[in-house]
Amino acid sequence: MLSRRIIACLDVREGRVVKGVRFRDHVDMGDCVELAMRYRDAGADELVFYDIGASPQQRCVDVRWVERIGRVLDIPFCVAGGIRDVRQAREVLLAGADKISVNTPALERPELVDELAEAFGVQCVVVGIDSLRDADGQWRVRSNTGEPGTLRALPRRTLDWVCEVQARGAGEIVLNCMGSDGVRRGYDLEQLRAVRAACRVPLVASGGAGSAQDFVDVFVQADVDAALAASVFHTGAIGIPVLKQAVAACGIRVRHAA
């Protein structure tokens, strides 16, 4: 069995890492390069950087800070933010990123996933899905989630979108359960289990981590390949070395657990 991955997520605005609760009320957490090095040294398996203003502002991620990060990291990292075509994706990859992630641009033009997979291989293509349960009990996707004033609810069911992007060439899916984001009450296990049943590529859980037990639960109960968190790492509420020890103690294989 492959090791489960622990991923630190960094939402970036103008080169600074910010963190909010349910995509609102963002506060400054520090310089993106400094935090990247901190998580590298702490033993994170991978980092994910989201330029949260890119899609709402109709622009692509600023490759200048991607290049700065690429010069100091020796662990894989993924970058997302307004990537709308192969040329933009190539610039981000050449700046040092190992993967590129698309969310809103793929919802606007699903063929983008096919084009990226053909150009760079499925191993480079991640599709991020921001998902929220509606009043009728169905999970549906959201777009332009980086800024509260631009968020859009779409009629597309989350499970349908999961199946479509896999068919188009997504090599990995990050499911961000928006109802759990930033509140530290645990991952949305029900939704993640439903997506896991439809997902044959690596699945990354996002939204809701508040304790080491939450990571154990999402690996055991939802069988995800990786668990992503932000605020609990940024604030020091959970240290990655201690987290890995706790997860390994429950019989879950992780990299470099002491």
Side-chain angles (χ1 to χ4, degrees), residues 83-106:
I83 298 170
R84 287 182 162 78
D85 57 41
V86 168
R87 179 188 61 80
Q88 292 174 340
R90 181 174 288 111
E91 290 178 354
V92 173
L93 292 169
L94 290 174
D98 298 275
K99 305 175 188 177
I100 48 93
S101 180
V102 291
N103 187 331
T104 295

Side-chain angles (χ1 to χ4, degrees), residues 2-222:
L2 295 174
S3 296
R4 310 295 176 124
R5 289 175 285 146
I6 303 295
I7 300 174
C9 174
L10 299 91
D11 291 340
V12 180
R13 178 184 286 159
E14 298 177 356
R16 305 286 294 179
V17 176
V18 297
K19 186 65 186 112
V21 176
R22 290 175 175 158
F23 294 74
R24 297 176 181 270
D25 304 321
H26 291 97
V27 296
D28 189 288
M29 305 302 296
D31 178 73
C32 62
V33 176
E34 292 177 2
L35 282 171
M37 291 189 294
R38 181 192 307 175
Y39 292 131
R40 174 201 65 191
D41 295 343
D45 297 306
E46 189 172 327
L47 301 182
V48 175
F49 297 88
Y50 292 105
D51 186 330
I52 62 172
S55 284
Q57 295 168 15
Q58 294 295 304
R59 61 171 175 82
C60 185
V61 58
D62 185 345
V63 296
R64 291 175 296 181
W65 60 256
V66 179
E67 290 172 342
R68 291 173 58 212
I69 290 165
R71 286 195 288 267
V72 301
L73 283 189
D74 56 2
I75 61 173
F77 72 99
C78 177
V79 172
I83 298 170
R84 287 182 162 78
D85 57 41
V86 168
R87 179 188 61 80
Q88 292 174 340
R90 181 174 288 111
E91 290 178 354
V92 173
L93 292 169
L94 290 174
D98 298 275
K99 305 175 188 177
I100 48 93
S101 180
V102 291
N103 187 331
T104 295
L107 288 165
E108 295 171 346
R109 194 173 67 85
E111 296 81 7
L112 175 62
V113 180
D114 305 75
E115 293 164 6
L116 295 173
E118 181 177 356
F120 307 113
V122 297
Q123 77 284 350
C124 288
V125 181
V126 180
V127 173
I129 300 176
D130 294 323
S131 176
L132 193 62
R133 189 169 224 159
D134 288 327
D136 62 358
Q138 293 289 332
W139 292 294
R140 292 188 176 87
V141 299
R142 301 297 193 264
S143 67
N144 291 301
T145 56
E147 301 288 347
T150 62
L151 186 149
R152 294 180 57 206
L154 302 181
R156 192 189 302 268
R157 292 197 321 148
T158 300
L159 293 177
D160 293 339
W161 186 230
V162 167
C163 293
E164 180 174 345
V165 297
Q166 288 178 95
R168 290 184 177 277
E172 183 170 271
I173 290 172
V174 177
L175 181 71
N176 187 45
C177 303
M178 294 179 64
S180 304
D181 181 75
V183 300
R184 304 191 192 181
R185 296 175 185 166
Y187 293 96
D188 185 342
L189 298 176
E190 180 185 3
Q191 184 173 185
L192 285 160
R193 281 194 293 264
V195 170
R196 174 78 282 174
C199 184
R200 63 181 185 275
V201 300
L203 175 63
V204 181
S206 174
S211 68
Q213 187 61 46
D214 292 334
F215 287 83
V216 172
D217 290 343
V218 79
F219 287 134
V220 173
Q221 298 184 39

